Amino acid sequence: MSNTLPDLPYAYDALEPFISRQIMELHHKKHHQTYVNALNAAETAYAKAANPKERIALQAALKFNGGGHINHSLFWKNLAPAASEKKGNGGVLKDGPLKNAIENTFGSLDNLKKEFNTTTAGIQGSGWGWLGLNPSTKRLEIVTTANQDPLLTHVPIIGVDIWEHAFYLQYLNVKADYLNAIWSVINFEEAEKRFLEGNGSSKL
């Protein structure tokens, strides 16, 4: 079954002023669509591969484009129109299990933001910053992945794309401004669903 580009759960301009319509349209319609197309091509080639050498040669394409599709599909749901702009619930962490876990681990949401932003800004080149749930300890941890590598060691709770295509047209090379802004459109309700699912206490 072919992979397809998921619809956004909001309009392209819904995350403004924090993420512009121009960025969202290019990011979703062009970049994510390219990962989907290339993944489908790689999967088709893999199915037709005649020997192990041919299959091994396709691993890089499957990992890169498959990761890009997985990561971006999570990313879109990870965002929501900003409550500060009276558009939605973005940026609001309500009382509940996720807030409790964040405060137990980091002391406060502000401390999480600072540690997350510092770690994510330190990525060399392109990659992703994650707030992940360690499946062994059931504790929240900040981790990063390079390029389009998906997060496999943890349950992804919040993921932030730090590729330049995610921010450059609006924030130029100032990653810190992008990272500070994106918290205003983080969908903490979606994050809490993932957190509960990762803890085995809820099913989506």
Side-chain angles (χ1 to χ4, degrees):
M1 182 177 176
S2 293
N3 303 283
T4 58
L5 183 71
D7 292 333
L8 293 184
Y10 37 74
Y12 284 112
D13 62 356
L15 304 182
E16 290 185 340
F18 303 101
I19 303 179
S20 70
R21 179 191 183 105
Q22 183 185 28
I23 285 176
M24 290 301 297
E25 287 189 332
L26 286 170
H27 201 171
H28 181 251
K29 292 180 181 178
K30 302 297 184 182
H31 290 282
H32 191 173
Q33 184 68 66
T34 297
Y35 296 128
V36 170
N37 293 345
L39 175 60
N40 287 335
E43 288 182 343
T44 298
Y46 190 90
K48 295 178 180 178
N51 55 62
K53 184 177 180 180
E54 291 182 3
R55 288 190 284 273
I56 290 169
L58 290 164
Q59 291 301 311
L62 288 167
K63 180 180 180 182
F64 181 79
N65 295 294
H69 180 43
I70 291 168
N71 291 346
H72 285 87
S73 296
L74 287 168
F75 185 58
W76 308 134
K77 291 181 179 180
N78 220 151
L79 304 174
S84 64
E85 303 298 308
K86 296 181 172 57
K87 291 183 175 183
N89 65 339
V92 177
L93 176 62
K94 297 179 180 178
D95 290 340
L98 180 60
K99 183 177 181 179
N100 292 340
I102 288 172
E103 291 179 344
N104 288 338
T105 303
F106 301 98
S108 68
L109 177 59
D110 283 343
N111 287 344
L112 164 62
K113 292 178 181 179
K114 290 175 185 176
E115 189 174 333
F116 184 98
N117 288 4
T118 298
T119 300
T120 302
I123 294 173
Q124 296 296 311
S126 301
W128 290 74
W130 301 94
L131 177 66
L133 179 68
N134 185 313
S136 299
T137 64
K138 299 298 185 182
R139 289 184 62 81
L140 294 173
E141 297 174 358
I142 295 168
V143 290
T144 61
T145 55
N147 301 313
Q148 289 296 352
D149 292 359
L151 184 62
L152 301 177
T153 57
H154 296 64
V155 177
I157 306 302
I158 293 171
V160 174
D161 188 349
I162 201 67
W163 280 65
E164 285 193 343
H165 64 233
F167 64 86
Y168 195 86
L169 289 174
Q170 186 171 0
Y171 295 98
L172 300 180
N173 63 334
V174 188
K175 289 182 183 179
D177 288 352
Y178 163 67
L179 289 168
N180 285 330
I182 202 167
W183 290 101
S184 293
V185 289
I186 290 294
N187 186 344
F188 284 104
E189 290 184 11
E190 173 68 20
E192 185 162 81
K193 288 180 183 178
R194 297 180 193 170
F195 176 73
L196 291 173
E197 184 181 47
N199 271 312
S201 51
S202 177
K203 291 185 179 180
L204 293 176

